[in-house]
């Protein structure tokens, strides 16, 4: 089943051309924003935002984004919704579809987001345990800004084979980049993603050797060792991920002028050193800003009639 372009659930199901189309819209929206040109393309539309996990960037960039497009956002926390008291998602979804023009959801099970697509309004995945496609779209936008191209570049992800790794693998491969994942044994990306990546030959590599993964790399990316929902495993993971860090040594293995990206929030001293993060803060906060522009492009694509 393909959800895009009705819904935006994973990077895997977007072709390279479809990703580039979204990036072109995002670049244009960024240009208009910087130059004070209003773009009320979703005037009168309402986006419901269900957050079953914490968020700073996703919540604020979606809320501000729909406002800048002329629409309104509703922040829906499970503590306020009847979901928190056990009302099934299927009943919630059917009601929300009668009021809203779109739903953005951040939750645990990816299947819950897929189920929400059954009720007739566009659904955007704001992060599940499986995927974080909005972040990766912003990452690709940032890489293209700094490197002027995507095709042919190599990205290396160091750390947990989590939602970020899954979405980076599929997003990078679909736009013609190479990607290497360096992760400890037992923390590999999702098997569905690995099966997809296997179709791209040597453009994808998975290793526990950080040096090998970083050699020839144009972009180094990392993420927390314990994602939301894995807090109870934090101590065990601290042990398992020791050394899977972006620091001056890993940067030395990569190409000169390699970018460093982090979706944030960051745990300094764990997956990235303070010095490397601060030295690359310009691009890391551009990456955070680009969430706004990239997501506005997604909302326009899904909700503009
Ligand atoms: N990168 C990201 O999704 O940040 P939040 O968890 O703050 O939304
Ligand atoms: N992998 C992290 C990303 C946070 C934006 C998590 O799921 O918690």
């Amino acid at each position: 089943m393909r959800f895009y372009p009705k819904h935006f659930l994973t990077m895997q199901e977007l072709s390279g051309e479809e990703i580039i189309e979204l990036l072109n819209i995002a670049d244009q929206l960024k240009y208009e924003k910087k130059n004070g040109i209003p773009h009320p393309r979703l005037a009168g539309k309402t986006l419901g935002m269900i957050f079953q996990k914490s968020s700073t960037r996703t919540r604020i960039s979606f809320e501000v984004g729909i406002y800048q497009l002329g629409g309104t956002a509703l922040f829906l926390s499970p503590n306020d919704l009847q979901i928190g008291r056990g009302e099934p998602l299927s009943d919630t979804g059917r009601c929300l579809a009668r009021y809203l023009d779109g739903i953005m959801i951040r939750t645990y099970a990816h299947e819950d987001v897929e189920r929400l697509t059954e009720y007739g309004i566009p659904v955007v995945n704001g992060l599940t345990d499986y995927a974080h496609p909005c972040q990766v779209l912003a990452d690709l936008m940032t890489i293209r800004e700094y490197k002027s191209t995507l095709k042919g570049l190599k990205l290396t992800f160091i750390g947990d084979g989590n939602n970020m790794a899954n979405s980076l693998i599929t997003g990078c491969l679909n736009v013609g980049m190479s990607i290497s994942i360096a992760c400890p044994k037992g923390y590999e990306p999702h098997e569905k993603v690995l099966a997809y990546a296997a179709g791209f030959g040597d453009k994808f590599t998975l290793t526990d050797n950080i040096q090998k993964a970083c050699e020839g790399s144009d972009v180094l990316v990392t993420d927390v060792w314990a994602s939301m929902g894995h807090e109870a495993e934090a101590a065990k993971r601290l042990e398992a991920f020791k050394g899977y860090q972006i620091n001056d040594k890993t940067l030395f293995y990569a190409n000169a002028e390699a970018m460093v990206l982090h979706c944030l929030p960051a745990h300094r001293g764990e997956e990235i050193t303070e010095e490397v993060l601060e030295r690359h803060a310009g691009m890391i906060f551009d990456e955070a800003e680009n969430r706004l522009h990239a997501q506005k492009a997604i909302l326009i694509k899904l909700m503009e009639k």
Side-chain angles (χ1 to χ4, degrees):
M1 163 121 189
R2 185 167 191 261
F3 295 102
Y4 192 78
K6 284 203 166 116
H7 311 280
F8 182 80
L9 265 47
T10 66
M11 291 304 284
Q12 183 170 330
E13 59 173 32
L14 272 73
S15 67
E17 292 72 37
E18 287 167 334
I19 295 170
I20 297 299
E21 183 196 11
L22 282 173
L23 296 184
N24 290 344
I25 299 171
D27 283 352
Q28 176 65 24
L29 292 166
K30 184 169 183 174
Y31 170 84
E32 290 177 4
K33 185 76 195 67
K34 301 271 176 208
N35 289 281
I37 304 167
H39 36 232
R41 294 173 62 172
L42 297 180
K45 307 259 184 191
T46 305
L47 179 74
M49 310 191 304
I50 303 175
F51 279 94
Q52 298 191 290
K53 292 176 175 172
S54 306
S55 172
T56 297
R57 283 144 288 269
T58 306
R59 180 200 169 163
I60 297 169
S61 54
F62 267 108
E63 191 159 337
V64 169
I66 185 91
Y67 176 74
Q68 291 175 1
L69 292 168
T72 305
L74 293 179
F75 175 70
L76 306 168
S77 99
N79 300 334
D80 305 319
L81 294 173
Q82 296 284 11
I83 288 181
R85 295 179 55 246
E87 183 172 16
L89 194 66
S90 52
D91 290 354
T92 307
R94 280 182 281 186
C95 293
L96 292 184
R98 308 275 178 132
Y99 308 131
L100 301 170
D101 300 292
I103 301 177
M104 187 247 90
I105 177 166
R106 165 170 287 198
T107 190
Y108 296 86
H110 192 75
E111 297 69 36
D112 284 348
V113 181
E114 292 182 342
R115 220 165 297 131
L116 262 188
T117 63
E118 290 168 17
Y119 308 114
I121 59 170
V123 175
V124 179
N125 177 5
L127 181 147
T128 60
D129 292 344
Y130 176 64
H132 196 5
C134 292
Q135 180 68 53
V136 167
L137 192 68
D139 291 4
L140 294 176
M141 178 176 175
T142 313
I143 296 167
R144 196 169 74 153
E145 270 177 3
Y146 277 78
K147 298 281 187 192
S148 308
T149 185
L150 292 172
K151 228 186 187 116
L153 295 179
K154 176 180 172 183
L155 182 144
T156 300
F157 178 89
I158 301 173
D160 187 18
N162 62 13
N163 42 16
M164 276 302 298
N166 290 335
S167 292
L168 280 167
I169 293 169
T170 50
C172 288
L173 291 174
N174 285 358
V175 295
M177 292 172 66
S178 299
I179 176 161
S180 244
I181 304 285
C183 67
K185 291 209 163 62
Y187 294 95
E188 289 85 4
H190 196 283
E191 58 190 20
K192 253 173 35 191
V193 170
L194 295 181
Y196 181 74
F200 288 81
D202 62 4
K203 285 194 173 305
F204 173 71
T205 52
L206 174 64
T207 174
D208 58 2
N209 183 322
I210 296 170
Q211 178 172 350
K212 239 167 61 197
C214 291
E215 277 166 3
S217 193
D218 304 292
V219 190
L220 300 188
V221 185
T222 188
D223 185 18
V224 291
W225 291 343
S227 286
M228 290 180 277
H230 288 126
E231 289 83 359
E233 294 174 19
K236 179 179 140 205
R237 284 170 172 263
L238 218 50
E239 227 12 74
F241 284 98
K242 229 175 229 159
Y244 285 83
Q245 182 188 65
I246 299 188
N247 51 38
D248 281 317
K249 205 163 91 190
T250 45
L251 267 170
F252 177 76
Y253 299 141
N255 285 346
E257 309 294 322
M259 294 176 69
V260 173
L261 295 179
H262 192 309
C263 65
L264 304 174
H267 289 175
R268 290 164 167 81
E270 293 183 16
E271 77 276 3
I272 190 166
T273 59
E274 166 87 26
E275 304 76 61
V276 168
L277 191 153
E278 289 303 337
R279 226 184 309 129
H280 296 84
M283 60 184 75
I284 290 172
F285 290 98
D286 280 346
E287 176 189 11
E289 176 188 329
N290 285 340
R291 294 292 304 278
L292 172 69
H293 311 296
Q295 288 159 194
K296 284 164 74 179
I298 296 167
L299 294 176
I300 285 175
K301 187 78 191 157
L302 266 44
M303 290 166 68
E304 191 178 48
K305 281 286 168 295

